[in-house]
Amino acid sequence: MKILLTGAAGFIGMTTSLRLLERGDEVVGLDNLNDYYDVTLKQRRLERLTSHPNFRFVRLDVADRSGMERLFAEDKFERVIHLAAQAGVRYSLKNPHAYIDSNIVGFTNVLEGCRHSGVQHLTYASSSSVYGGNTKMPFSEHDSVDHPVSLYAATKKANELMAHTYSHLYGLPTTGLRFFTVYGPWGRPDMALFLFTKAILDGRAIDVFNHGNMQRDFTYVDDIVEGVIRVMDRIATPNSAYDALQADPATSNAPYRVFNIGNNNPVPLLDFIACIEDALGKKAEKCLLPLQDGDVPATYANTDALQEWVGFVPGTTIQDGIARFVAWYRGYYK
């Protein structure tokens, strides 16, 4: 298939693109290469893609309306995987406008492009952060998510609502995937695994928020990518059993679906740090701090619906995943 993948120079975007290319798809990878984090890392990821004959890179911001209109009009994509976004809960406290531009305006441009060019299926990245103030565990797609605790979370919830509108009005099949703390080689430098590894190797203390009383459903990138591609391959359909009197937020009488995609196994933060210490062969000095604004103490994905839909079962342990990241980190940074 001919696939548009936005955020191709990103961590998940690069890994997904590689998998698609390996199986014979044609991938047009879009990215604006912004400086939210090290641009060199993004360029190095792209180098792994641009040598492939079925890959073409387009440097473009999803918020560029005319540029996105031209791209969709010229290329006639069959499927779209939309991963481009302004990421990061904490950064949204400092630069809220970046989230509106990329996550709201940009997503509108993607939806319009899909609508007007007859895209068969839009698969897009949502986030576990939409669960916000929810305390019922594990997090279920069938529960209400109306209490976000960061602007980043609010924009991702907005994406789901916008997607449903286009599925309802225009029959555009859309599937949203709520990612749960993705990690692995080539990961983002602002994520905990990267920050902890660098600090421990440099002999600096690591910041441990909520005094270590945190849990995260850490999900290895290869498992995420397997789920993303399986979902893209199965076009969203209306739920024939949908009952508007008992509305299910995860489905609709429109071709619309939302799924959690996680490891279904929350790990205490201190255990996560212990795995990093084991992989590095070096102990961490910990600076215990209170919970940060916009953060939540725990995430835990119920993935039953995704398993039923596409057979998704994550298969990477936290020990193996961290060991692979550390091996990559040592090689990349010498």
Side-chain angles (χ1 to χ4, degrees):
M1 291 181 287
K2 187 174 186 180
I3 299 164
L4 171 65
L5 191 145
T6 71
F11 167 40
I12 302 171
M14 177 206 71
T15 314
T16 305
S17 296
L18 285 171
R19 188 78 63 86
L20 291 168
L21 292 167
E22 285 167 3
R23 75 174 201 173
D25 291 312
E26 178 185 352
V27 178
V28 176
L30 178 151
D31 207 289
N32 67 356
L33 297 178
N34 68 26
D35 60 359
Y36 170 62
Y37 62 82
D38 180 17
V39 175
T40 302
L41 178 59
K42 298 180 181 184
Q43 291 169 334
R44 291 286 296 276
R45 292 183 188 134
L46 272 179
E47 288 170 7
R48 303 186 71 206
L49 302 173
T50 50
S51 61
H52 199 289
N54 280 345
F55 181 83
R56 185 174 107 245
F57 176 61
V58 175
R59 184 166 185 173
L60 180 67
D61 194 315
V62 289
D64 179 343
R65 178 176 170 181
S66 59
M68 292 294 286
E69 287 175 350
R70 283 194 302 272
L71 180 66
F72 274 95
E74 292 169 2
D75 276 273
K76 306 298 182 186
F77 304 108
E78 295 168 76
R79 308 279 168 95
V80 173
I81 298 176
H82 177 55
L83 304 178
Q86 179 56 61
V89 168
R90 293 162 193 162
Y91 186 63
S92 69
L93 305 180
K94 302 175 184 176
N95 191 355
H97 293 288
Y99 291 77
I100 302 304
D101 293 342
S102 183
N103 301 5
I104 302 298
V105 176
F107 193 59
T108 302
N109 291 336
V110 169
L111 287 168
E112 279 289 281
C114 291
R115 167 196 172 193
H116 290 293
S117 61
V119 167
Q120 299 167 3
H121 189 201
L122 166 63
T123 304
Y124 63 94
S126 185
S127 168
S128 62
S129 67
V130 300
Y131 288 102
N134 289 24
T135 56
K136 176 187 169 187
M137 296 284 176
F139 291 151
S140 170
E141 308 97 324
H142 307 298
D143 294 337
S144 171
V145 287
D146 290 334
H147 298 90
V149 296
S150 70
L151 183 63
Y152 171 68
T155 63
K156 288 299 187 177
K157 168 64 174 174
N159 287 171
E160 296 177 4
L161 297 173
M162 294 161 71
H164 183 269
T165 302
Y166 274 68
S167 295
H168 170 75
L169 289 175
Y170 310 115
L172 172 66
T174 66
T175 303
L177 290 170
R178 294 173 178 170
F179 293 163
F180 279 71
T181 316
V182 188
Y183 75 99
W186 297 93
R188 283 194 356 236
D190 62 325
M191 297 292 283
L193 177 55
F194 207 111
L195 293 170
F196 289 168
T197 298
K198 186 176 191 309
I200 293 169
L201 288 174
D202 290 348
R204 294 183 289 106
I206 61 174
D207 291 337
V208 180
F209 294 102
N210 204 33
H211 305 285
N213 298 313
M214 305 269 277
Q215 288 190 326
R216 287 291 181 270
D217 203 343
F218 295 102
T219 313
Y220 190 66
V221 64
D222 287 359
D223 293 333
I224 287 282
V225 168
E226 180 67 25
V228 168
I229 293 176
R230 289 189 185 200
V231 164
M232 182 202 71
D233 285 340
R234 182 168 182 185
I235 296 175
T237 56
N239 178 5
S240 60
Y242 181 77
D243 181 357
L245 295 176
Q246 301 179 36
D248 175 5
T251 66
S252 173
N253 53 10
Y256 167 88
R257 301 276 168 161
V258 170
F259 296 103
N260 290 336
I261 183 164
N263 203 44
N264 191 225
N265 181 30
V267 174
L269 182 58
L270 294 179
D271 291 354
F272 181 71
I273 293 169
C275 286
I276 301 172
E277 292 173 326
D278 289 344
L280 292 173
K282 189 174 181 180
K283 289 293 183 182
E285 179 187 347
K286 304 176 186 70
C287 179
L288 302 180
L289 298 168
L291 188 68
Q292 286 196 306
D293 289 341
D295 216 343
V296 296
T299 64
Y300 180 4
N302 181 325
T303 56
D304 291 348
L306 189 58
Q307 182 175 351
E308 182 179 348
W309 186 249
V310 294
F312 172 81
V313 179
T316 308
T317 66
I318 197 76
Q319 292 82 3
D320 286 346
I322 288 175
R324 292 174 197 169
F325 171 82
V326 167
W328 167 79
Y329 186 95
R330 288 187 187 278
Y332 183 85
Y333 289 102
K334 305 294 187 238

